[in-house]
């Protein structure tokens, strides 16, 4: 399909962007040659670029726009806060109504026992704060040697030095000489890619055992915490098999290892319950949350503490030497509170775990008959499609074939945002998506997989 030449206005935005803007996770010289896509407005589940092209957002931004775009009540909540209290901090023994009420609301919806909250500005900052809080906790407990953090291969926990060290996506490490000392990684339950002839349940238990093996190797007296996402998102939508999380929790309790659960992607209805911990029966010591907390309308994150860690920090006679200028920013907190009230009022969590999620998973599963698709998998409003060379053996294409990238590019041209993680195509649409819009999304997805298959000579 030929593309019309961009307008002069679009060209100008692309030119000044190339001159002055450094993008996340981008090869900038390549982007300067092609020109950045310029998104100018959004409504519901749709994005519109500077040339008027409409795209259905199958990724809810970056896994975050639960309530959809253009929600006036969220804009009005922010506007009201901007007029009343555009900024003040929560240092100097001060709070604001927005932060106090948001904290109360979070205690209502988070997993049982999570009832104290520290606010940050992003998931990365939240996980960085968790590392500091956990180190401080063990110091207060009189166990200063418990400082090693165990995370998983293919995990994504953010991009600050500590959060990137927790992350198990090794491509993130060399440029900044990471991971830092004290961060190690164990196997993840990626049965489709790594499970071989084992059943998913067998492979899940095998990978859980790698945590226990690592604890014994390092010495439990030296291990502070195990950090993990309920479902690994940016690692390829890795859904743990039955029994995995039960075994992980048994191991953590046996060796007195804190369990810090990264709910940045899974939280606020994405898995069909309020949190991934609810979906998988996890009882975390701490959780980190962001993204869906404000549906992406404002930058805000929250670190939630269970009773053991929260009470220890609260009762410490020392000042906790940590915090950000924008911790609990009143405008961000106001929008987040309005967003949580909207999610409750419109029963978006119940829909994601019920009618909407069931229909989404049904349409996802229908793609499994495609000759290029090795597997579809999903939970709630999360879905993955494995593009493979050989379905029977789960053999993938060589990396340099860039099959996922080809499919993603077809998606952009056809009007769909679907993410490629290697050759795994991932979907995470707004929770407000209708059945008709789900139909449209999957019609486009099949068309783009067809086009990719034709490129490869499969169709």
């Amino acid at each position: 399909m030929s593309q019309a030449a961009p307008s002069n206005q679009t060209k100008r935005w692309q030119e000044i962007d190339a001159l002055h803007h450094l993008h996340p996770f981008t090869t900038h010289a390549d982007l300067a040659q092609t020109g950045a896509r310029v998104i100018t407005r959004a409504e519901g589940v749709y994005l519109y670029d500077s040339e008027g092209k409409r795209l259905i957002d199958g990724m809810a931004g970056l896994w975050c726009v639960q309530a959809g775009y253009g929600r006036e009540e969220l804009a009005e909540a922010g506007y009201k806060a901007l007029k009343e209290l555009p900024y003040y901090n929560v240092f100097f023994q001060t709070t604001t109504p927005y932060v106090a009420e948001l904290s109360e609301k979070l205690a209502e919806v988070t997993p049982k026992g999570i009832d104290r909250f520290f606010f940050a500005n992003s998931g990365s900052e939240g996980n960085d704060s968790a590392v500091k809080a956990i180190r401080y906790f063990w110091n207060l407990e009189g166990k200063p040697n418990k400082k090693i953090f165990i995370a998983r291969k293919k995990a994504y926990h953010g991009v600050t030095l500590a959060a990137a060290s927790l992350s198990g996506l090794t491509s993130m490490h060399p440029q900044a000489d990471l991971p830092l000392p004290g961060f190690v990684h164990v196997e993840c339950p990626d049965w489709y890619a790594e499970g071989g002839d084992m059943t998913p349940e067998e492979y899940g238990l095998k990978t859980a055992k790698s945590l226990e093996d690592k604890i014994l190797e390092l010495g439990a007296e030296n291990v502070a915490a195990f950090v993990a996402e309920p479902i690994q998102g940016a690692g390829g939508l890795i859904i743990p098999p039955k029994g995995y999380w039960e075994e992980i929790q048994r191991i953590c309790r046996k060796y007195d290892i804190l369990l810090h659960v990264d709910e940045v992607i899974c939280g606020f209805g994405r898995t069909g319950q309020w949190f991934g911990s609810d979906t998988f029966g996890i009882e975390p010591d701490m959780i980190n949350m962001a993204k869906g907390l404000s549906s992406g309308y404002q930058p805000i994150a929250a670190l939630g503490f269970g009773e053991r860690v929260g009470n220890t920090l609260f009762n410490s006679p020392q000042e906790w030497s940590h915090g950000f200028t924008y911790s609990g920013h009143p405008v961000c907190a106001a929008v987040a509170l309005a967003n949580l009230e909207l999610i409750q009022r419109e029963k978006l969590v119940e829909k994601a775990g019920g009618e909407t999620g069931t229909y989404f998973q049904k349409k996802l599963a229908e793609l499994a008959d495609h000759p290029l698709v090795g597997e579809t998998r999903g939970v709630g409003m999360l879905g993955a499609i494995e593009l493979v060379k050989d379905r029977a053996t789960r053999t993938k294409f060589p990396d340099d074939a860039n099959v996922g990238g080809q499919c993603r590019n077809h998606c952009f041209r056809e009007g769909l945002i679907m993410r490629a993680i290697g050759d795994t195509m991932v979907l995470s649409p707004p929770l407000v998506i209708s059945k008709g819009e789900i139909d449209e999304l999957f019609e486009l997805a099949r068309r783009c997989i067809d086009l990719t298959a034709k490129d490869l000579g499969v169709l």
Side-chain angles (χ1 to χ4, degrees), residues 70-91:
R71 301 305 301 260
E72 289 189 6
E73 53 265 72
L74 302 189
E76 288 168 358
Y79 179 54
K80 180 174 182 289
L82 278 167
K83 289 194 297 181
E84 293 178 350
L85 185 65
Y87 172 72
Y88 198 65
N89 63 73
V90 291
F91 290 60

Side-chain angles (χ1 to χ4, degrees), residues 3 23 26 30 71 85 107 116 137 213 219 227 255 292 297 320 348:
Q3 299 285 313
H23 291 245
T26 296
D30 292 346
R71 301 305 301 260
L85 185 65
R116 297 185 193 276
F137 167 81
D213 291 344
V227 180
Y255 296 102
Y297 277 56
W320 186 26
L348 296 185

Side-chain angles (χ1 to χ4, degrees), residues 77-157:
Y79 179 54
K80 180 174 182 289
L82 278 167
K83 289 194 297 181
E84 293 178 350
L85 185 65
Y87 172 72
Y88 198 65
N89 63 73
V90 291
F91 290 60
F92 315 137
Q93 301 181 341
T94 299
T95 192
T96 70
Y98 308 102
V99 170
E101 292 182 11
L102 177 58
S103 299
E104 180 185 47
K105 178 62 70 174
L106 283 174
E108 175 188 332
V109 300
T110 49
K112 182 180 178 181
I114 303 292
D115 61 3
R116 297 185 193 276
F117 304 92
F118 168 81
F119 292 98
N121 307 293
S122 69
S124 295
E125 283 187 5
N127 280 324
D128 201 286
S129 300
V131 169
K132 291 180 71 175
I134 289 167
R135 286 181 167 184
Y136 180 35
F137 167 81
W138 286 120
N139 287 342
L140 291 170
E141 291 286 287
K143 296 181 179 180
N145 291 331
K146 287 177 77 71
K147 294 291 163 62
I148 298 174
F149 288 80
I150 302 177
R152 297 181 295 189
K153 297 177 181 178
K154 302 183 183 179
Y156 182 79
H157 297 294

Side-chain angles (χ1 to χ4, degrees), residues 314-434:
F314 180 82
N315 291 316
S316 170
Q318 304 173 29
E319 175 182 281
W320 186 26
S321 302
H322 185 65
F324 305 104
T325 299
Y326 300 128
S327 291
H329 190 290
V331 178
C332 300
V335 173
L337 180 60
N339 175 63
L340 298 185
E341 291 170 346
L342 183 158
I343 288 173
Q344 288 182 316
R345 183 171 64 252
E346 298 189 0
K347 299 188 183 301
L348 296 185
V349 176
E350 293 84 350
K351 290 175 181 177
E355 183 179 6
T356 305
T358 298
Y359 192 72
F360 176 80
Q361 294 298 327
K362 172 180 175 289
K363 300 300 289 187
L364 173 68
E366 289 174 1
L367 291 175
D369 66 358
H370 195 284
L372 195 59
V373 174
E375 178 186 67
T376 63
R377 58 180 178 271
V379 173
M381 296 299 289
L382 288 165
I385 305 156
E386 293 282 357
L387 304 182
V388 296
K389 187 174 183 179
D390 189 310
R391 298 172 63 181
T393 62
R394 309 203 299 267
T395 302
K396 297 194 174 186
F397 290 92
D399 290 344
D400 59 6
N402 192 27
V403 171
Q406 292 181 57
C407 186
R408 178 200 59 215
N409 292 340
H410 282 303
C411 289
F412 282 133
R413 285 189 287 267
E414 296 296 320
L416 169 65
I417 305 292
M418 181 162 64
R419 182 171 177 177
I421 300 173
D423 292 345
T424 305
M425 307 307 297
V426 177
L427 289 164
S428 172
L431 304 188
V432 295
I433 193 170
S434 69

